[in-house]
C-alpha cells in the first residue's frame, strides 16, 4: 500500500499567504468605519491598487489601496475658504513688508534729536516758572532773616539753590533722552511686530473624530490544517499497513479468494502494483483489508495456494516481499 504523499511546502506556503492576505483585507474593511459629525465627516474608499513581488514565488501580488477622506460641513467649509483667503492676503502684505525690512534694518539705530529737544523744552516750560518763584521766595526769606545780598551766607544759600536747579534740569535732559530712546525703539520695532502678527494668522482646526471599535479577524491556519490532514492520512495508511504486516508474521497462506468475500472495495495499491481492497468474509461483519488471490496469482503465482475447500489462499509474506 502506498504511503500518502507529503504536502508540497511551496504550494502550502502560497495558500497560507493567500489566506493571510484575505484575512488582512477583511479586517481592514471591517475597521474602516465612516463617521459623520456636526463639523464634518470621515469616509473610506478604495482608490486603486498596489503591487509587490512575492519574494517566495517571484510572482506579482496585487492588493487594494484605500484612501481616508475628511470633509467639512458646508458651514465649516465656508469658514475655511474665507480664512484661507484672508491668510493669503495677509501673506502678501507680510511679503511686501519683509521686502521693506531689507533696507530698513540696514539703517543704524538713531535717537531723534528733535524729539529729545522737544521733550526737554516741554519740561523746561513747566520748571522755569516754578524755579523763578522759588528763587524770589528764597531771597525774601534770606533778607527777612537779616542775611543781606553780597554776604557769604547769602552767596552760599543762592549757590545751593542754583545747584539744585541745575540738577533738576540735568534730570529733565536725561528723562527726555530716555523717552526719546523708547519712542525710537518703538518706531523701529513696529514694522517687525506688524510682520510677526501678519505671519501668525489663524490656525485651521479640523473636525475631531472618535475612535471606532476595532474588529479582529482570526486568521486561518491553512498550513496547520494541511499538516493535520497529512498526519491523519499517514496514520491511517500506517494502520492499514500494520494490519497487512500482521498477516505476514506467520508465513502462512490466508484465505483471499474473491468468492469468499463480500462488500469488496478498492482502497489502495502496493508498490508492486497489486491492488488492496477492503472487504468482509461472507457470514462475518468485520471489515478487513487485503489482496485478491486471483490478482496475486497472475503476478506472483507461487504466492498463491489452493486449500482442500477449493478456495485460494495468498502467502502475504511472499506477495509483499515482491513489492
Amino acid at each position: 500500500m502506498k504511503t500518502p504523499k507529503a504536502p508540497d511546502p511551496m504550494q502550502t506556503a502560497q495558500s497560507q499567504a493567500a489566506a493571510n492576505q484575505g484575512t488582512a483585507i477583511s479586517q481592514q474593511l471591517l475597521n474602516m468605519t465612516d463617521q459623520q459629525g456636526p463639523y464634518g465627516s470621515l469616509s473610506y474608499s478604495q482608490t486603486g491598487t498596489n503591487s509587490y513581488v512575492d519574494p517566495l514565488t517571484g510572482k506579482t501580488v496585487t492588493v487594494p489601496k484605500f484612501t481616508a477622506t475628511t470633509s467639512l460641513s458646508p458651514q465649516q467649509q465656508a469658514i475655511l475658504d474665507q480664512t484661507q483667503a484672508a491668510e493669503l492676503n495677509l501673506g502678501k502684505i507680510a511679503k511686501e513688508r519683509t521686502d521693506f525690512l531689507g533696507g530698513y534694518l540696514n539703517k543704524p539705530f538713531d535717537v531723534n534729536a528733535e524729539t529729545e529737544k522737544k521733550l526737554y523744552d516741554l519740561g523746561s516750560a513747566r520748571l522755569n516758572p516754578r524755579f523763578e518763584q522759588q528763587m524770589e521766595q528764597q531771597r525774601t526769606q534770606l533778607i527777612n532773616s537779616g542775611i543781606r545780598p553780597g554776604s557769604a551766607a547769602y552767596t552760599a544759600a543762592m549757590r545751593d539753590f542754583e545747584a539744585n536747579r541745575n540738577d533738576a534740569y540735568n534730570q529733565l535732559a536725561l528723562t527726555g533722552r530716555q523717552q526719546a530712546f523708547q519712542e525710537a525703539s518703538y518706531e523701529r520695532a513696529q514694522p517687525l511686530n506688524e510682520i510677526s502678527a501678519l505671519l501668525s494668522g489663524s490656525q485651521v482646526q479640523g473636525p475631531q473624530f472618535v475612535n471606532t471599535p476595532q474588529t479582529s479577524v482570526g486568521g486561518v491556519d491553512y498550513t496547520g490544517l494541511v499538516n493535520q490532514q497529512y498526519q491523519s492520512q499517514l496514520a491511517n495508511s500506517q494502520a492499514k499497513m500494520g494490519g497487512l504486516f500482521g498477516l505476514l508474521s506467520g508465513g502462512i497462506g490466508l484465505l483471499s479468494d474473491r468468492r469468499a468475500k463480500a462488500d469488496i472495495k478498492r482502497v489502495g495499491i502496493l508498490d508492486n502494483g497489486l491492488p488492496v481492497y477492503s472487504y468482509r468474509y461472507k457470514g462475518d461483519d468485520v471489515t478487513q483489508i487485503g489482496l485478491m488471490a486471483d490478482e496475486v496469482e497472475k503476478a506472483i503465482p507461487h504466492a498463491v495456494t489452493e486449500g482442500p475447500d477449493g478456495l485460494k489462499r495468498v502467502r502475504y509474506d511472499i506477495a509483499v516481499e515482491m513489492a
Side-chain angles (χ1 to χ4, degrees):
M1 181 178 296
K2 289 186 176 180
T3 302
K5 184 179 179 181
D8 183 352
M10 180 68 72
Q11 182 178 3
T12 302
Q14 292 177 8
S15 299
Q16 182 66 70
N20 293 344
Q21 178 180 321
T23 299
I25 294 174
S26 297
Q27 185 160 311
Q28 177 74 10
L29 291 172
L30 289 172
N31 290 330
M32 292 192 303
T33 303
D34 293 347
Q35 298 190 44
Q36 297 287 338
Y39 301 108
S41 62
L42 174 65
S43 61
Y44 299 89
S45 60
Q46 182 177 347
T47 55
T49 58
N50 286 323
S51 300
Y52 67 93
V53 177
D54 188 337
L56 184 64
T57 64
K59 297 181 179 180
T60 300
V61 180
T62 301
V63 295
K65 179 176 65 176
F66 301 99
T67 299
T69 303
T70 301
S71 301
L72 297 175
S73 66
Q75 296 80 4
Q76 291 297 318
Q77 186 63 51
I79 294 174
L80 176 61
D81 293 340
Q82 293 178 2
T83 301
Q84 290 178 333
E87 289 179 348
L88 179 60
N89 291 334
L90 292 176
K92 291 179 179 179
I93 297 174
K95 174 64 170 56
E96 295 172 356
R97 297 299 290 168
T98 55
D99 293 339
F100 157 77
L101 285 178
Y104 177 78
L105 294 178
N106 288 330
K107 297 179 181 179
F109 183 77
D110 184 27
V111 177
N112 192 326
E114 293 183 1
T115 301
E116 183 178 356
K117 183 178 181 304
K118 182 178 180 180
L119 292 173
Y120 181 84
D121 292 342
L122 290 174
S124 298
R126 297 183 60 186
L127 291 177
N128 289 338
R130 182 187 305 172
F131 280 116
E132 289 296 332
Q133 182 181 5
Q134 290 178 357
M135 180 178 289
E136 289 300 324
Q137 292 174 351
Q138 179 77 359
R139 288 173 179 173
T140 301
Q141 183 178 1
L142 290 173
I143 292 173
N144 292 336
S145 299
I147 301 174
R148 297 296 177 179
S151 65
Y154 184 90
T155 301
M158 295 306 295
R159 185 172 58 247
D160 291 340
F161 177 83
E162 287 295 335
N164 291 333
R165 183 166 64 176
N166 288 337
D167 289 343
Y169 280 105
N170 288 337
Q171 183 63 40
L172 175 62
L174 292 174
T175 301
R177 181 169 181 80
Q178 183 177 4
Q179 291 179 347
F181 182 86
Q182 292 176 349
E183 183 175 341
S185 298
Y186 174 79
E187 292 177 353
R188 184 175 180 85
Q190 182 62 22
L192 299 176
N193 294 334
E194 289 176 354
I195 291 176
S196 177
L198 290 172
L199 292 179
S200 63
S202 59
Q203 302 299 319
V204 178
Q205 298 294 331
Q208 302 296 316
F209 300 108
V210 301
N211 294 325
T212 59
Q214 298 296 295
T215 302
S216 179
V217 179
V220 176
D221 185 11
Y222 180 82
T223 302
L225 292 175
V226 170
N227 183 64
Q228 182 179 354
Q229 182 184 35
Y230 169 68
Q231 294 297 332
S232 176
Q233 292 174 344
L234 182 62
N236 186 43
S237 173
Q238 290 175 343
K240 294 178 179 179
M241 291 293 292
L244 286 177
F245 289 144
L247 299 175
L248 306 178
S249 60
I252 60 175
L254 297 178
L255 180 61
S256 297
D257 199 301
R258 191 182 298 269
R259 294 170 294 177
K261 300 176 179 180
D263 297 334
I264 301 172
K265 296 179 182 178
R266 181 167 174 168
V267 295
I269 186 173
L270 295 179
D271 291 340
N272 63 1
L274 288 175
V276 179
Y277 299 89
S278 67
Y279 59 89
R280 62 178 180 81
Y281 288 112
K282 294 179 179 179
D284 190 353
D285 293 333
V286 178
T287 300
Q288 302 190 40
I289 295 176
L291 306 173
M292 294 296 161
D294 57 320
E295 294 177 345
V296 176
E297 188 174 19
K298 293 179 181 178
I300 312 172
H302 62 280
V304 178
T305 60
E306 185 175 335
D309 54 2
L311 297 177
K312 296 181 178 180
R313 289 163 172 76
V314 171
R315 287 280 305 272
Y316 276 85
D317 54 337
I318 299 176
V320 175
E321 283 181 359
M322 299 298 296

